[in-house]
Amino acid sequence: MERDARSRHGARAQRAFADGTRRGKGSVRMLVLIGTVIVFGSIVLGFTMAGGELMALVQVAEFVVIGGAGLGALMVATPVPVLKQMTGRLMGLLKGSPYNQATYNELLKMLYDLFMLARREGMVALEHHAEHPYKSDFFRKYPRFAANHHAVEFLSDTLKVIISGSVQPMDLAEMMEIDLDTHHSASSKVPAALAKIGDAMPGFGIVAAVLGVVVTMGAIGGEPELIGRKVAAALVGTFLGVLLAYGFFLPLAAAVEDQVNAEHRYLLCIQGALLAFARGDAPITAVEFARRHVEPNVRCSFAEMEQALKKAGA
């Protein structure tokens, strides 16, 4: 009976380890959309509740000044590769974060199987997979990992160094740290650019408002109603600049930064496991180093990981 209970517990652990969590992509995508709707919806609702006319906020000239100035400044300050990367990052927010529990569980299993392969057949068995990772049948069994080209290249390049045997573990750790720092620095340029544009939006709003005041001054002496509409149009410029800064660009920058940090943590898992493997630690110990880098909210327990990996290996 005790053996049956352990067997049932192991089966549950393996199912939990294999399934991971299904909340990741959908919840993040919905939070981005719902949060944006709440920001703009609450402002419009409060304005109309106070008796404001919604069409008074529709000032095309102000939109052109602020939007055009912001876009031009972004193009001047941001290199083309970063602009392309920015498009992908923003689209990624709508898709949701891929770094959920299922993704990490697959990574841990892949690392364990890789290290067990090296233990059974020797380091030479890893040479083909390291040299041709995108043609490797081994990596194709783990589609989430295989789709992450940064992770694939980081793992394969490090494996080549380990297989060569020409680098000590301490030097290998420094080498991987340099690689990760370089990649993280390059990825962080996107949220930094979005944050800079967000900081500039209130200034562009003031520019639009000043231009509106210039137009208003030219109408002095005319009908009071016309002057009032022009003053209101000028104030919309200030309103729009502040709204875009604190309700759109800065939240987007924070969301993209979290996305970049999640990718960095994923690579840190690989780094920890490879360093332990290069020191000669047992496969389960090397994978445990990787598990410790996973965020607690998406991290499986050690018991779940051990049960699932040993049962799969058996």
Side-chain angles (χ1 to χ4, degrees), residues 94-239:
L94 296 178
K95 295 178 182 178
S97 175
Y99 301 103
N100 52 31
Q101 188 174 351
T103 299
Y104 277 110
N105 288 351
E106 183 199 76
L107 175 65
L108 297 180
K109 187 176 186 308
M110 184 276 296
L111 291 170
Y112 180 79
D113 291 344
L114 185 70
F115 300 153
M116 287 299 295
L117 176 64
R119 169 169 283 195
R120 289 193 306 267
E121 303 180 19
M123 296 296 293
V124 69
L126 305 183
E127 189 171 354
H128 169 73
H129 306 298
E131 292 291 340
H132 308 284
Y134 297 107
K135 298 180 181 179
S136 169
D137 293 333
F138 178 85
F139 290 134
R140 287 174 184 166
K141 295 187 294 184
Y142 310 96
R144 295 170 185 260
F145 170 78
N148 190 329
H149 69 277
H150 290 303
V152 171
E153 291 173 3
F154 177 66
L155 176 66
S156 61
D157 289 346
T158 307
L159 279 178
K160 293 173 189 176
V161 175
I162 295 175
I163 293 170
S164 70
S166 59
V167 177
Q168 297 299 317
M170 184 177 298
D171 297 327
L172 180 67
E174 183 179 358
M175 185 182 299
M176 287 192 288
E177 196 68 34
I178 293 172
D179 194 348
L180 291 180
D181 287 345
T182 302
H183 177 263
H184 190 257
S185 176
S187 299
S188 298
K189 291 181 180 179
V190 173
L194 287 172
K196 287 179 180 178
I197 293 300
D199 291 337
M201 279 293 118
F204 292 137
I206 293 174
V207 170
V210 170
L211 293 177
V213 171
V214 170
V215 174
T216 303
M217 297 300 291
I220 293 292
E223 298 179 3
E225 183 180 353
L226 177 62
I227 296 176
R229 285 201 298 267
K230 291 185 178 297
V231 170
L235 292 176
V236 167
T238 304
F239 154 75

